[in-house]
Amino acid sequence: MQKWFEEAKLGIFIHYGIYAVNGVSESWSFYNGRITYEEYMNQLQGFTASNYDADQWADLIEKSGARYAVLTTKHHDGVALWDTKYSDLNVVARTPAKRDLVKEYAEAMRKRGIRLGMYFSLIDWSHPDYPTVYEGGKEPENPAQANPYSSPAGGKQDEARWKRFLEFNNNQLQELMTNYGTVDLLWFDGDWERSAEQWNLPDFKTYLLSMNPNVIINSRLQGYGDYKTPEQGLPITRPAGPWEFCTTINSSWGYVPTDNKYKSLNQIIRMFCDCISMGGNMLLDIGPKEDGTLDPRQEQILLGLGDWIRTHEEAVYGTTEGIMNRYYLGGSTLSKDRKILYLFVYDDPKENICLKGLCNSIRKITVLHSGKELEHEIHGGVPWFDIPGTTWIYMSKEDTHDQVTVLKLELDGEIEMYGGSGAVVTHN
């Protein structure tokens, strides 16, 4: 795992493709029969990217506070956003856009020092050699009922054609990894439709690392990825190892004009705080319109998130995961030397903030956005049994930030928390 990823905290996911023309669900709309394949592919004629400006995207992503970006270079529909020589199903050859969008994206992100991520669907429901085998090579009980976009659907498996498809994927990935400078992260999707053996793992990963030994690969590689990617539902228990929570800004990954179910800025910030409190990153998705512009609501959320991060930067970057919520009913992070505890206060306090189990003495407590110093006192505790009391930090509504407030607790040494179940006081 590369150090930059574990310290990045925030990435921006970009779902951009022909599905934005009619605002339909990316790839799944034809796979699940909501529209025909022909209707879906007719969107090629309306994909202009006429106002696509990768530099504007990069400016917005930089202002959001994100340290990396991930673009859908090819979704399950098989439509490539770059000038691939291995298929004419790409936006250069088949759409009015006639531009290598990946090239412009890569140049713009690299110019601003934003780490470069490429989403690539292992699935390709348009490629004739893809639906030639069943998952795991096992024919289902009712093969005729299988989806013809992903399997032979009653026909015989053809291993030779499947190997040809794997070569096709290898070739396209080689283009992505060698034609656009250093790719920092590969974000795969669709591994569930085939087994590790069918994806030719671990040799496939070895092939990818041969082009860049430092590339990070997400978990969707049948157990051979580098970090976990919980999706849409925030983890309740911290995932083991490095992880990233990917989520939409409304309810859709791509641009759907009728989707007005947007998360509020406050909700986005709280989710972000929850992620970094548990040592993870958040990959927040945006869905540009077919012309390459963004819905103003998406822009405003990214700008608002960036404003909050810049105000509270020391509690975000250069920190590690915080204390468990059994000690504090909210999120938190710790400075790398573990001598400063940052508490995220999500709601307006009635009178005070409660912190349990802290063994350290507190030297100073400040409200991070204002610099105001707060008072605190400790009630209870049995020091001669090494059982700490309860810390009450006095805080009023006037001390709060408009979104999420951060309190900075400077401790007398490395943080030490009590995790016991108390004891009977047998002597005083």
Side-chain angles (χ1 to χ4, degrees), residues 351-358 360-365 373-381 388-395 407 409:
E351 176 181 86
N352 42 47
I353 301 299
C354 178
L355 174 62
K356 297 173 285 187
L358 180 66
N360 304 74
S361 294
I362 300 173
R363 291 178 171 170
K364 186 179 180 182
I365 302 175
E373 190 167 347
L374 300 181
E375 299 295 327
H376 75 283
E377 61 181 353
I378 299 170
H379 287 289
T390 300
T391 301
W392 299 93
I393 303 168
Y394 291 100
M395 181 179 177
L407 301 186
L409 280 64

Side-chain angles (χ1 to χ4, degrees), residues 76-94:
H76 313 327
D77 57 15
V79 181
L81 298 190
W82 77 97
D83 191 15
T84 174
K85 66 181 181 181
Y86 296 100
S87 167
D88 71 346
L89 189 54
N90 66 75
V91 297
V92 181
R94 298 278 297 277

Side-chain angles (χ1 to χ4, degrees), residues 199-396:
W199 290 125
N200 193 32
L201 289 162
D203 289 349
F204 176 51
K205 186 174 183 181
T206 301
Y207 166 71
L208 298 171
L209 294 175
S210 72
M211 291 179 280
N212 178 7
N214 295 321
V215 71
I216 297 172
I217 299 172
N218 74 332
S219 62
R220 303 182 187 194
L221 204 63
Q222 286 291 2
Y224 288 89
D226 300 320
Y227 69 92
K228 296 178 176 63
T229 55
E231 180 175 335
Q232 293 289 55
L234 266 170
I236 304 303
T237 301
R238 186 210 193 283
W243 65 279
E244 163 198 85
F245 171 59
C246 55
T247 189
T248 51
I249 208 163
N250 49 9
S251 296
S252 308
W253 293 103
Y255 175 67
V256 177
T258 58
D259 184 358
N260 296 308
K261 195 174 182 181
Y262 276 80
K263 299 172 181 70
S264 70
L265 174 59
N266 183 260
Q267 290 169 339
I268 294 288
I269 294 173
R270 287 181 63 157
M271 292 163 68
F272 174 64
C273 290
D274 282 347
C275 288
I276 65 174
S277 295
M278 292 191 288
N281 295 345
M282 183 164 80
L283 184 64
L284 180 62
D285 178 70
I286 56 175
K289 302 175 184 179
E290 70 79 19
D291 69 351
T293 60
L294 282 178
D295 186 302
R297 291 171 290 184
Q298 299 192 18
E299 289 188 16
Q300 289 307 308
I301 286 174
L302 293 193
L303 291 172
L305 177 57
D307 285 343
W308 184 88
I309 289 175
R310 277 186 294 279
T311 301
H312 304 93
E313 187 167 348
E314 71 170 271
V316 177
Y317 299 121
T319 62
T320 62
E321 63 191 277
I323 58 178
M324 292 184 283
N325 60 15
R326 65 179 179 173
Y327 297 120
Y328 169 66
L329 298 177
S332 62
T333 55
L334 282 162
S335 60
K336 284 191 176 177
D337 65 7
R338 300 181 63 79
K339 294 180 181 179
I340 300 176
L341 173 65
Y342 300 95
L343 300 180
F344 301 131
V345 183
Y346 294 144
D347 301 305
D348 293 344
K350 295 238 180 238
E351 176 181 86
N352 42 47
I353 301 299
C354 178
L355 174 62
K356 297 173 285 187
L358 180 66
C359 299
N360 304 74
S361 294
I362 300 173
R363 291 178 171 170
K364 186 179 180 182
I365 302 175
T366 49
V367 181
L368 202 55
H369 74 274
S370 68
K372 179 181 177 181
E373 190 167 347
L374 300 181
E375 299 295 327
H376 75 283
E377 61 181 353
I378 299 170
H379 287 289
V382 190
W384 54 96
F385 283 176
D386 295 322
I387 298 174
T390 300
T391 301
W392 299 93
I393 303 168
Y394 291 100
M395 181 179 177
S396 68

Side-chain angles (χ1 to χ4, degrees), residues 28 30-31 37 74-78 120-136 147-153 156-169 189-195 198-199 222:
W28 294 98
F30 73 79
Y31 182 84
Y37 180 79
K74 188 180 81 166
H75 208 268
H76 313 327
D77 57 15
F120 182 88
S121 172
L122 295 167
I123 289 171
D124 189 330
W125 289 328
S126 291
H127 197 287
D129 290 332
Y130 181 73
T132 51
V133 293
Y134 293 105
E135 181 183 347
N147 195 302
Y149 293 112
S150 59
S151 71
K156 291 183 179 180
Q157 297 192 86
D158 191 330
E159 293 291 344
R161 290 180 64 191
W162 174 248
K163 287 182 180 178
R164 194 163 67 193
F165 175 75
L166 293 181
E167 184 179 359
F168 166 74
N169 264 4
D189 205 8
D191 65 326
W192 60 82
E193 286 204 337
R194 301 289 185 262
S195 67
Q198 288 173 314
W199 290 125
Q222 286 291 2

Side-chain angles (χ1 to χ4, degrees), residues 11-167:
I12 300 299
F13 215 171
I14 309 167
H15 273 66
Y16 188 41
I18 67 167
Y19 36 86
V21 173
N22 293 336
V24 299
S25 175
E26 61 291 336
S27 307
W28 294 98
S29 50
F30 73 79
Y31 182 84
N32 291 329
R34 290 193 287 271
I35 62 175
T36 66
Y37 180 79
E38 290 70 28
E39 287 175 308
Y40 184 91
M41 286 301 170
N42 278 341
Q43 293 177 107
L44 287 164
Q45 309 309 315
F47 188 76
T48 66
S50 55
N51 292 305
Y52 171 67
D53 186 334
D55 283 313
Q56 285 186 0
W57 283 10
D59 284 342
L60 182 60
I61 290 170
E62 186 176 41
K63 289 175 182 175
S64 77
R67 298 290 176 87
Y68 65 106
V70 179
L71 173 67
T72 51
T73 64
K74 188 180 81 166
H75 208 268
H76 313 327
D77 57 15
V79 181
L81 298 190
W82 77 97
D83 191 15
T84 174
K85 66 181 181 181
Y86 296 100
S87 167
D88 71 346
L89 189 54
N90 66 75
V91 297
V92 181
R94 298 278 297 277
T95 75
K98 297 193 181 302
R99 296 161 65 184
D100 188 328
L101 305 180
V102 173
K103 181 176 185 292
E104 296 175 46
Y105 158 77
E107 290 174 351
M109 298 303 159
R110 191 170 291 110
K111 196 186 305 179
R112 287 158 184 80
I114 298 168
R115 294 282 183 169
L116 191 64
M118 305 281 201
Y119 168 109
F120 182 88
S121 172
L122 295 167
I123 289 171
D124 189 330
W125 289 328
S126 291
H127 197 287
D129 290 332
Y130 181 73
T132 51
V133 293
Y134 293 105
E135 181 183 347
K138 297 178 182 178
E139 188 172 307
E141 288 186 13
N142 299 304
Q145 294 180 4
N147 195 302
Y149 293 112
S150 59
S151 71
K156 291 183 179 180
Q157 297 192 86
D158 191 330
E159 293 291 344
R161 290 180 64 191
W162 174 248
K163 287 182 180 178
R164 194 163 67 193
F165 175 75
L166 293 181
E167 184 179 359

